[in-house]
Amino acid sequence: LVATPRRPDEAAFIAHCRARGLAVTEQRLAIFAALAASRTHPSAEQIFLAVREKLPNLSLATVYKNLEALRAAGAVGDVNTLHEQGRYESALPGTGAGTPHHHLVCVSCKKVLDLQDDRFDALRVSARLTQGFEVRAVRVQVEGVCPDCRARAKAPSRSRKPISRRR
Amino acid sequence: LVATPRRPDEAAFIAHCRARGLAVTEQRLAIFAALAASRTHPSAEQIFLAVREKLPNLSLATVYKNLEALRAAGAVGDVNTLHEQGRYESALPGTGAGTPHHHLVCVSCKKVLDLQDDRFDALRVSARLTQGFEVRAVRVQVEGVCPDCRARAKAPSRSRKPISRRR
DNA sequence: TTATATGCAAACTGTTTGCACGTAG
DNA sequence: CTACGTGCAAACAGTTTGCATATAA
């Protein structure tokens, strides 16, 4: 045993980095370890605070850069497809909303359409799986690429923010 | 006919405002009308741009204030429970993620836990309902109140951001 | 007339970027 | 030795707030 990984998944992570040409740094290891150890899908700042206890001069920018690099390399997923801005809908009856319903989200242009599916409305979570939560709603979010974005799919545009770039 | 509402739902909206003690202003009417007319769950800025064509000196702050007031009054819903920050997870096998899974979201403290339910994994969208989308994933998001937040439920705290307020 | 809403500008949070320095490979 | 990563600070995007003015009730 040469490298003696502290966690069983650390070896797999290092291999993944090497395969993608990503350097294996102390910060990168610690950031991924914090993410893999957490069961609560932490935000960048929560990761930053956790890792900084071991690496006190870690920068928050490094956390962001690593999360993006690891996401592009497939080692990290983001839970929160629509986090860049709030999205609203009418909640008054007769205006298309008000009753619980489901959404079709375009992962490219971030547009959100309503989705009506009776089978989804009937979904219930069995009490054994709710981990003590008091359940308020079950929402199904179907992610995909909308017709508009499929049409202009000449330039694949894998970026997370296809809309309104400046500078 | 005295008030002659332009849309059938405008009367219901005015009644809803009156019942909640909200003044009926031109801006409020136009903001709600833009929201009710849109099928794409617009952001605050998209609503602002749409309404500004009719009310050219509308302020973006007014749009935000109205969306919050109408949300508190139950006339508007927000689609995007977790929009305030990105949330991440490991995508490597063996670290608890990697395969598609589902989430339990606390609407109070915004924590996100994994949820394993075979019935959810089996969900498919019938092609007739996808409106031309190329479907990539079906995610079930169960919203509720976590045990921690239920415990400290003395102060009901209906605010959208119970964490870290300053000033 | 009075409570509430509006518009502006400034402040704040979360995120991204440019650049000089440092370190893995 | 060289490409890539790090840390800092500054810039950005989205959102919120204080206050003076305007308007609904």
Side-chain angles (χ1 to χ4, degrees):
Chain A
L1 290 164
V2 179
T4 318
R6 289 195 301 249
R7 314 175 61 88
D9 31 289
E10 186 162 289
F13 176 68
I14 292 174
H16 193 92
C17 287
R18 294 241 158 89
R20 305 283 178 139
L22 293 176
V24 177
T25 66
E26 221 180 352
Q27 290 90 336
R28 189 160 284 164
L29 280 170
I31 287 165
F32 184 80
L35 190 55
S38 169
R39 305 257 61 209
T40 63
H41 302 275
S43 66
E45 188 164 6
Q46 289 167 338
I47 295 169
F48 169 67
L49 292 173
V51 175
R52 199 170 52 164
E53 303 197 350
K54 293 279 177 179
L55 304 177
N57 41 6
L58 177 73
S59 162
L60 182 54
T62 297
V63 175
Y64 279 107
K65 285 169 182 168
N66 271 283
L67 289 171
E68 173 54 23
L70 295 175
R71 194 197 60 80
V76 161
D78 56 345
V79 171
N80 211 5
T81 322
L82 290 173
H83 79 89
E84 35 263 320
Q85 53 192 185
R87 298 304 204 89
Y88 304 89
E89 64 190 359
S90 162
L92 253 38
T95 55
T99 47
H101 55 270
H102 310 288
H103 293 128
L104 218 35
V105 179
C106 177
V107 296
S108 177
C109 71
K110 310 287 180 179
K111 110 187 11 146
V112 181
L113 298 178
D114 282 332
L115 174 63
Q116 187 62 34
D117 190 321
D118 299 338
R119 293 174 310 137
F120 292 173
D121 295 342
L123 286 176
R124 297 290 177 273
V125 206
S126 98
R128 290 192 313 101
L129 299 172
T130 55
Q131 303 176 55
F133 273 57
E134 176 194 311
V135 174
R136 295 274 176 85
V138 178
R139 298 182 170 205
V140 180
Q141 183 166 307
V142 177
E143 296 181 9
V145 185
C146 73
D148 295 348
C149 289
R150 292 174 69 183
R152 63 175 109 81
K154 301 296 174 208
S157 140
R158 284 203 159 276
S159 95
R160 299 209 323 162
K161 301 198 163 181
I163 328 162
S164 84
R165 296 273 66 189
R166 296 133 211 236
R167 177 171 304 196
Chain B
L1 290 166
V2 178
T4 319
R6 289 195 301 249
R7 316 175 59 89
D9 32 288
E10 185 162 291
F13 176 68
I14 292 175
H16 193 92
C17 287
R18 295 240 159 89
R20 305 284 179 140
L22 292 176
V24 178
T25 66
E26 220 180 353
Q27 290 89 335
R28 187 159 286 163
L29 281 170
I31 287 166
F32 183 80
L35 190 56
S38 169
R39 304 258 62 207
T40 62
H41 302 276
S43 66
E45 187 164 5
Q46 289 167 338
I47 294 168
F48 169 68
L49 292 173
V51 175
R52 200 170 51 165
E53 302 196 350
K54 292 281 179 179
L55 303 176
N57 41 6
L58 177 73
S59 163
L60 182 55
T62 296
V63 175
Y64 278 108
K65 286 169 182 168
N66 272 282
L67 289 171
E68 173 53 23
L70 295 175
R71 193 199 58 81
V76 161
D78 56 344
V79 171
N80 210 5
T81 321
L82 290 174
H83 78 88
E84 37 263 319
Q85 53 191 185
R87 298 305 203 88
Y88 304 88
E89 64 189 359
S90 161
L92 252 38
T95 55
T99 47
H101 54 270
H102 310 287
H103 292 126
L104 218 35
V105 178
C106 177
V107 296
S108 177
C109 71
K110 310 287 179 181
K111 115 190 2 148
V112 181
L113 298 179
D114 281 333
L115 174 65
Q116 187 62 34
D117 191 322
D118 299 338
R119 293 174 310 139
F120 292 173
D121 294 341
L123 286 176
R124 298 290 176 274
V125 207
S126 99
R128 291 193 311 101
L129 299 172
T130 55
Q131 302 176 55
F133 272 58
E134 177 193 311
V135 174
R136 295 272 177 85
V138 178
R139 298 183 170 202
V140 180
Q141 183 164 307
V142 177
E143 296 181 8
V145 184
C146 74
D148 294 348
C149 289
R150 290 174 70 182
R152 60 177 110 81
K154 300 298 173 204
S157 138
R158 285 203 160 277
S159 92
R160 299 208 324 162
K161 301 197 164 182
I163 328 162
S164 83
R165 295 272 65 188
R166 297 133 212 239
R167 179 171 298 195

